[in-house]
Amino acid sequence: MKLRKNKRKIFLALIMIVLMMSIIAYIFLRNNEVEALSKYGSRGDEVTQIQTKLKRWGYYNGNIDGIYGSQTQEAVRYFQRKNGLTVDGIAGPKTLAAMGITSSSSSSSSSSSNSSNVNLLARLIYGEARGEPYTGQVAVGAVVMNRVKSSSFPNTISGVIYQSGAFDAVSDGQINLTPDATAKKAAQDAINGWDPSYGAIYYFNPSTATNKWIWSRPMTVTIGRHRFCK
């Protein structure tokens, strides 16, 4: 009888140890997850990347010092407000993805990264060119891809799309609309290398454009309502 009671005590003690270890492991992982995000007070290379991109796009005017201070926090808030993200001033996974920065805590594969690029480009195409011929939608995506390749523009799809003042769909919020299957297919075709714009890095609607400079750009092709140019 006494032996049975001792076994029960040992069994209960083991259960308590396992529970305590599980709780400690959860707290440790939770804290690490939070610390992995760039937020007020953070320092390091990821903060430098955030500051560099936001300064290039016109959201940040401070020094690029790798210190996540109040100016960086406000710049992140500004970027989040303009791009339909949760405005908390924290550079979490979604905000970093929108900036084209891979978080140090992220284990995303290249395939998921490609899927994210297709979705973002599809949103841009849908916001800028829904209703245009399919070739014209691919051409809009190709303009983004051509800018990624150009030294005059950011070197990521998200960087090009979110560059301050680059696309009306970002400025007026249409970037946040859900793209249809056609826009997604056009985005994939553009990423795969189809370029019906013939190397264009700009496009505009001749019936609504008022900027004299854009009219001076050499035209490559006109598709639907858009004129593409270099």
Side-chain angles (χ1 to χ4, degrees):
M1 190 73 176
K2 189 174 182 180
L3 181 61
R4 186 178 297 174
K5 284 184 178 179
N6 286 337
K7 284 184 176 179
R8 184 178 296 172
K9 286 181 179 178
I10 292 170
F11 180 72
L12 290 173
L14 287 172
I15 290 177
M16 289 298 295
I17 290 170
V18 170
L19 285 173
M20 289 297 294
M21 289 179 68
S22 298
I23 292 170
I24 291 170
Y26 173 79
I27 293 171
F28 176 80
L29 291 172
R30 179 88 178 195
N31 286 341
N32 275 2
E33 181 182 3
V34 171
E35 288 302 320
L37 303 179
S38 286
K39 57 185 180 179
Y40 186 82
S42 297
R43 294 168 179 255
D45 292 340
E46 188 170 272
V47 179
T48 300
Q49 289 184 64
I50 292 167
Q51 292 173 331
T52 300
K53 285 177 178 285
L54 293 180
K55 190 159 191 170
R56 184 190 304 157
W57 301 335
Y59 293 97
Y60 176 65
N61 296 317
N63 295 324
I64 298 174
D65 54 12
I67 302 171
Y68 206 115
S70 57
Q71 276 189 291
T72 303
Q73 185 181 52
E74 284 307 307
V76 170
R77 286 179 179 274
Y78 182 23
F79 177 82
Q80 289 169 331
R81 275 196 303 273
K82 293 289 288 184
N83 297 294
L85 299 162
T86 300
V87 182
D88 55 12
I90 298 172
K94 289 185 178 180
T95 298
L96 290 175
M99 294 179 186
I101 298 172
T102 302
S103 171
S104 57
S105 64
S106 173
S107 59
S108 299
S109 64
S110 58
S111 60
S112 64
S113 175
N114 180 65
S115 176
S116 176
N117 280 332
V118 171
N119 184 61
L120 178 57
L121 186 56
R123 283 163 45 198
L124 187 279
I125 291 170
Y126 188 73
E128 289 276 319
R130 63 182 180 278
E132 290 294 301
Y134 182 71
T135 303
Q137 293 189 40
V138 178
V140 167
V143 166
V144 173
M145 301 309 296
N146 290 336
R147 289 189 180 188
V148 170
K149 297 171 187 174
S150 170
S151 60
S152 300
F153 296 91
N155 60 1
T156 64
I157 290 174
S158 60
V160 167
I161 290 175
Y162 286 120
Q163 186 172 27
S164 183
F167 296 99
D168 290 340
V170 175
S171 301
D172 62 22
Q174 293 192 66
I175 188 73
N176 300 311
L177 297 175
T178 302
D180 58 15
T182 302
K184 290 179 180 178
K185 187 172 183 298
Q188 188 65 70
D189 278 340
I191 287 174
N192 288 345
W194 183 19
D195 183 7
S197 79
Y198 297 100
I201 53 176
Y202 303 102
Y203 63 88
F204 65 100
N205 185 336
S207 65
T208 59
T210 57
N211 186 308
K212 291 183 179 180
W213 177 85
I214 196 65
W215 283 93
S216 70
R217 307 306 301 174
M219 186 185 76
T220 59
V221 66
T222 296
I223 307 173
R225 291 172 293 179
H226 286 144
R227 177 177 294 187
F228 294 83
C229 46
K230 291 187 175 182

